[in-house]
Amino acid sequence: MSQTDSLLNTLKRQLRMQGKTYADVAQWLGLSEASVKRLFAERNITLARLECICEQLNLEFAELVQTMQTEERRLQELTQAQEQSIADDPKLFLIAVCVINGYSFAEIHHQYQLSEAECTQQLLKLERLALIQLLPGNRIKRRVAPNFRWRPGGPIQQFFQQHIANDFFRSRFDSESEKLLVLNGLLSRAGNDEWQQIMQRLAKEFHELCERESSLPITQRFGTTSVLAVRQWQHGLFKGYARKLPQQ
């Protein structure tokens, strides 16, 4: 990610934190909302406009840059060995998922059958892995970046695939909080690549939404899992009928 991308992503997070929208930015800059959206999408904002937005947010431009640098130092991904150590320890795995999702010490202790000593022990392990900083009073400071992810094909992802996938799909997906979409069609390699980019943008929007709601009480939020997947795939039932075509 370029420094321009990082800086604008940091600015957008500052806007959300203060409850400001593109409409507000448009008013500050004397532009239409569509023009502002285009500026952010094209990463084409002048220094003067950036300084104007910062002024409206009561934020020095230097502070914005410093915040960006601090966020860049946060963990975006663990090493293979670090993930394996979490996947091999069920209690540590549970606590890791909780803190990444913004649980406080009290909320973890209240929601799960773990003593305060057990919670502290696991949190200290996560501190050694640099996922968090455990502050006085058992306050938890996350050290993961907003775009933190588990390693593709890594131990955590493999654990989910092996142990959770069947349970996840054991549902009719007909309640108000559930939805299952199965899309099927024909795409070229370029079309497939474009769809994957759209999926990546959806994943980014999901994380941004989680961050936006992170200030709500934990009692107003519930665990939400979305699975976005794409494969060049055909059900095994049909493979026996398929012609062998030349590889492209």
Side-chain angles (χ1 to χ4, degrees):
M1 182 183 294
S2 70
Q3 285 197 318
T4 300
D5 287 341
S6 296
L7 187 65
L8 291 181
N9 286 339
T10 302
L11 179 60
K12 287 195 290 185
R13 282 191 283 274
Q14 292 296 317
L15 287 166
R16 287 196 298 272
M17 286 171 60
Q18 296 195 28
K20 304 302 182 182
T21 66
Y22 284 147
D24 295 310
V25 176
Q27 184 178 2
W28 300 337
L29 300 180
L31 299 172
S32 68
E33 186 174 349
S35 295
V36 170
K37 289 180 179 179
R38 187 164 57 252
L39 290 177
F40 275 92
E42 296 176 353
R43 304 310 206 216
N44 186 26
I45 301 182
T46 64
L47 181 58
R49 284 172 171 168
L50 282 174
E51 289 179 335
C52 175
I53 297 171
C54 287
E55 184 179 347
Q56 293 294 331
L57 295 174
N58 293 318
L59 180 71
E60 294 288 338
F61 183 75
E63 290 181 82
L64 180 67
V65 174
Q66 186 178 21
T67 301
M68 176 197 73
Q69 293 171 337
T70 300
E71 291 179 348
E72 285 182 333
R73 288 194 293 270
R74 293 181 183 178
L75 276 175
Q76 295 183 352
E77 187 175 279
L78 297 179
T79 66
Q80 182 84 6
Q82 287 173 321
E83 277 204 8
Q84 192 64 62
S85 66
I86 293 175
D88 290 342
D89 186 336
K91 287 183 182 179
L92 185 61
F93 193 178
L94 170 64
I95 301 296
V97 171
C98 285
V99 298
I100 286 173
N101 286 307
Y103 277 60
S104 67
F105 183 94
E107 288 163 347
I108 296 171
H109 178 56
H110 175 75
Q111 191 158 336
Y112 297 100
Q113 296 182 29
L114 296 172
S115 66
E116 291 190 6
E118 287 175 313
C119 286
T120 301
Q121 182 183 33
Q122 301 307 321
L123 289 171
L124 288 172
K125 290 181 183 179
L126 293 180
E127 186 173 51
R128 288 194 289 271
L129 291 173
L131 267 173
I132 66 165
Q133 181 180 359
L134 191 58
L135 302 174
N138 286 325
R139 290 181 294 116
I140 301 168
K141 181 179 180 180
R142 291 182 294 174
R143 299 181 63 186
V144 296
N147 61 340
F148 174 83
R149 66 172 188 172
W150 300 115
R151 296 174 67 86
I156 302 297
Q157 191 176 90
Q158 290 180 29
F159 179 91
F160 276 110
Q161 290 172 339
Q162 294 170 6
H163 301 284
I164 298 177
N166 288 338
D167 182 61
F168 180 84
F169 287 106
R170 196 178 297 121
S171 171
R172 295 177 59 183
F173 291 93
D174 56 0
S175 73
E176 289 185 358
S177 62
E178 295 181 327
K179 181 177 286 292
L180 176 65
L181 295 176
V182 179
L183 309 175
N184 187 266
L186 300 176
L187 290 174
S188 65
R189 290 188 184 277
N192 182 281
D193 182 62
E194 183 178 347
W195 177 241
Q196 290 190 45
Q197 292 178 36
I198 293 171
M199 291 170 61
Q200 191 61 46
R201 290 199 295 272
L202 287 173
K204 181 181 176 183
E205 289 186 21
F206 177 82
H207 289 302
E208 289 179 349
L209 181 58
C210 290
E211 186 178 351
R212 218 160 45 235
E213 294 203 329
S214 62
S215 60
L216 293 175
I218 197 69
T219 53
Q220 294 181 23
R221 293 177 287 152
F222 53 87
T224 301
T225 298
S226 288
V227 177
L228 303 175
V230 61
R231 289 181 62 194
Q232 184 177 337
W233 178 84
Q234 186 181 56
H235 195 286
L237 178 65
F238 304 123
K239 287 185 177 178
Y241 298 95
R243 291 182 184 274
K244 289 187 177 180
L245 299 176
Q247 293 290 325
Q248 297 182 355

